[in-house]
Amino acid sequence: MRDLHLELEEYGASDMRPIGFFVQDGLSDHALRVTRIIDALPPSRSVTVFCPDPTLIAEVAGRAEVIALPSFSVSTGKHVGHAVMPGVDAGFSLGQGPMMASLIRADLNALTRWFDRAHPALLMIDESAEIARLARRCDVPHVVALKHGMRQDEAHDEMFSGAEGLLAPFHKALAQPDWSHGWTGKTHFAAGLERLQRVPERQAARRRLNLPEDATVILALTDPTTQPMQHAAVIAGARAVSDCVWLLAGDEAAAGDPSNLRRMSGDVTHETQIAAADLVISNAGDVISAEILSARRPWIVVPEWSLCDAQIEKARALSKAGAAHMRHQLPGYEAGWRQTLDIATQLHDPARQAALDHAGAAAGVAAWLEGLAAERNAPVHPMLPAIDHMTPGQQVADALA
């Protein structure tokens, strides 16, 4: 077998300018994708990461230049809201964007200075129509993430149409039927990019969690903060279906917990919890979906509210592919719970789940990025004239003009 990095080097040996990664916010799933892709790039490729919270990508700190962009964090409270680019009437379509003028000026100045200094081979943008437009105006080749949801608005279409390629962290079979060929035709589908790297043996996971080896174990990966009603429904389900052991997030037992309900502390990994379970209940987030697919477990997927109805569309795609049983909400009575659990168990097809989960996805993405960088091997030239003599505000205004 040929060495992967030798194969990757052939794509761009004549152009080893840096590849940049823009991480939209401080969420761990965004950082997970970027970390795995960077690890798969050839060692000779220099890398720069723009991230609101550099601690999330500490694993690649020795491999990449990291530049903090605090204005793009979803955790900065009043400093962050929904922003749109000049001339684009997009409402919610652009997602989270910086609102505080001083922060956005400083952060966009950092980006445009890097464009001029590094002449990047490529910029991967996790989620930001604002940054995609900036890169396009500065003639920086870029790729953007394609996620589920209703994204046929003007802002998203401009972002997807102007990119060199789109990266979808899931299998092509999960693509939405309403996506245009103009999008899917240049999309790299990376099934398994966020999968569990190792799924422990079931009985070993149960011993780790001190669970009966012969019990039927139901794992509910619901969040009491963001999904309080689903969380409450699971507790009701544990009371209703008392012949099963139910696992639920939480450090300590709460008053009124039934005896067959176990709370899982935050130091227990998802891989251990999923491996120990006979059936999993979760939302339709990208990472948790990839993790459950890699474990091949019967699955009840309950989408939570999300921008652009992203989780609803993802759950529909998973259900259509035969990978999960979708419910818009969990039952509120015993017969409903037993019927839902029975349907999810009977519909379970591990072969269909396996078809949507591939090992080695990060290496495939790295090779794809190297190929795009080689194809776009344009002559190096300054993009912002006399940048050292321009104020930060002038640099940004010039880039967006």
Side-chain angles (χ1 to χ4, degrees):
M1 180 178 291
R2 298 189 62 193
D3 182 84
L4 172 64
H5 287 126
L6 286 177
E7 204 167 297
L8 290 173
E9 294 280 9
E10 291 177 4
Y11 277 105
S14 62
D15 176 26
M16 295 309 286
R17 291 176 289 163
I19 290 179
F21 292 84
F22 174 84
V23 181
Q24 165 71 6
D25 56 44
L27 300 178
S28 58
D29 59 336
H30 297 233
L32 175 65
R33 285 192 290 272
V34 168
T35 297
R36 289 186 175 177
I37 295 168
I38 291 174
D39 284 342
L41 288 170
S44 56
R45 173 67 72 182
S46 59
V47 175
T48 300
V49 180
F50 298 90
C51 181
D53 182 5
T55 62
L56 289 174
I57 53 171
E59 291 182 28
V60 297
R63 169 77 166 84
E65 174 189 25
V66 180
I67 299 176
L69 299 181
S71 74
F72 284 90
S73 174
V74 298
S75 61
T76 53
K78 64 181 180 180
H79 302 317
V80 176
H82 293 285
V84 298
M85 295 294 289
V88 177
D89 181 14
F92 280 109
S93 64
L94 298 186
Q96 294 285 354
M99 290 291 286
M100 200 171 193
S102 61
L103 289 176
I104 189 171
R105 286 177 187 147
D107 286 355
L108 294 187
N109 180 38
L111 277 164
T112 53
R113 282 188 175 275
W114 180 74
F115 291 166
D116 186 67
R117 165 175 61 86
H119 309 294
L122 201 64
L123 175 65
M124 177 180 160
I125 302 168
D126 202 296
E127 287 185 72
S128 175
E130 297 98 331
I131 300 305
R133 174 175 276 200
L134 176 66
R136 190 163 56 253
R137 292 293 178 87
C138 293
D139 194 30
V140 174
H142 56 284
V143 302
V144 298
L146 175 61
K147 305 295 186 65
H148 288 89
M150 306 308 292
R151 304 182 189 274
Q152 289 76 14
D153 55 86
E154 178 186 349
H156 278 100
D157 186 60
E158 177 187 340
M159 175 171 66
F160 296 148
S161 299
E164 300 289 321
L166 309 179
L167 175 62
F170 45 83
H171 195 280
K172 188 175 183 178
L174 299 179
Q176 289 177 212
D178 57 346
W179 286 344
S180 72
H181 178 71
W183 296 359
T184 57
K186 60 179 178 181
T187 297
H188 179 83
F189 290 92
L193 181 59
E194 299 155 323
R195 73 192 303 273
L196 292 174
Q197 302 287 57
R198 184 187 67 87
V199 180
E201 190 269 332
R202 189 191 307 259
Q203 298 306 329
R206 292 192 176 190
R207 288 192 293 272
R208 164 78 174 81
L209 299 177
N210 196 27
L211 294 172
E213 294 191 4
D214 58 349
T216 298
V217 177
I218 299 170
L219 169 64
L221 294 170
T222 56
D223 189 317
T225 302
T226 62
Q227 300 172 285
M229 298 308 295
Q230 305 292 16
H231 205 69
V234 169
I235 297 174
R239 291 197 189 98
V241 187
S242 58
D243 52 341
C244 297
V245 174
W246 294 64
L247 306 182
L248 187 63
D251 292 329
E252 298 180 359
D257 278 359
S259 60
N260 61 325
L261 179 69
R262 307 282 184 90
R263 300 271 181 168
M264 295 291 103
S265 64
D267 62 348
V268 179
T269 64
H270 271 187
E271 65 183 26
T272 300
Q273 295 179 39
I274 294 171
D278 292 295
L279 182 146
V280 182
I281 302 168
S282 81
N283 64 26
D286 284 334
V287 172
I288 192 60
S289 296
E291 290 179 339
I292 296 170
L293 287 174
S294 63
R296 320 279 196 260
R297 294 294 189 266
W299 181 15
I300 299 171
V301 61
V302 187
E304 63 179 78
W305 185 92
S306 54
L307 285 172
C308 302
D309 285 350
Q311 289 212 11
I312 290 176
E313 295 301 323
K314 179 69 173 278
R316 283 176 178 162
L318 289 164
S319 177
K320 183 179 178 181
H325 173 46
M326 176 185 175
R327 286 199 52 118
H328 288 283
Q329 64 181 28
L330 293 173
Y333 60 105
E334 180 180 351
W337 263 113
R338 291 193 179 276
Q339 181 183 47
T340 298
L341 295 172
D342 286 344
I343 291 173
T345 301
Q346 292 166 10
L347 291 179
H348 179 234
D349 187 343
R352 290 194 177 191
Q353 292 180 322
L356 303 176
D357 170 54
H358 296 165
V365 175
W368 175 67
L369 292 177
E370 290 291 339
L372 288 178
E375 290 172 11
R376 193 58 155 76
N377 187 12
V380 175
H381 59 83
M383 287 164 285
L384 295 177
I387 191 168
D388 290 335
H389 303 291
M390 300 167 66
T391 67
Q394 288 172 328
Q395 294 170 30
V396 174
D398 186 73
L400 298 178

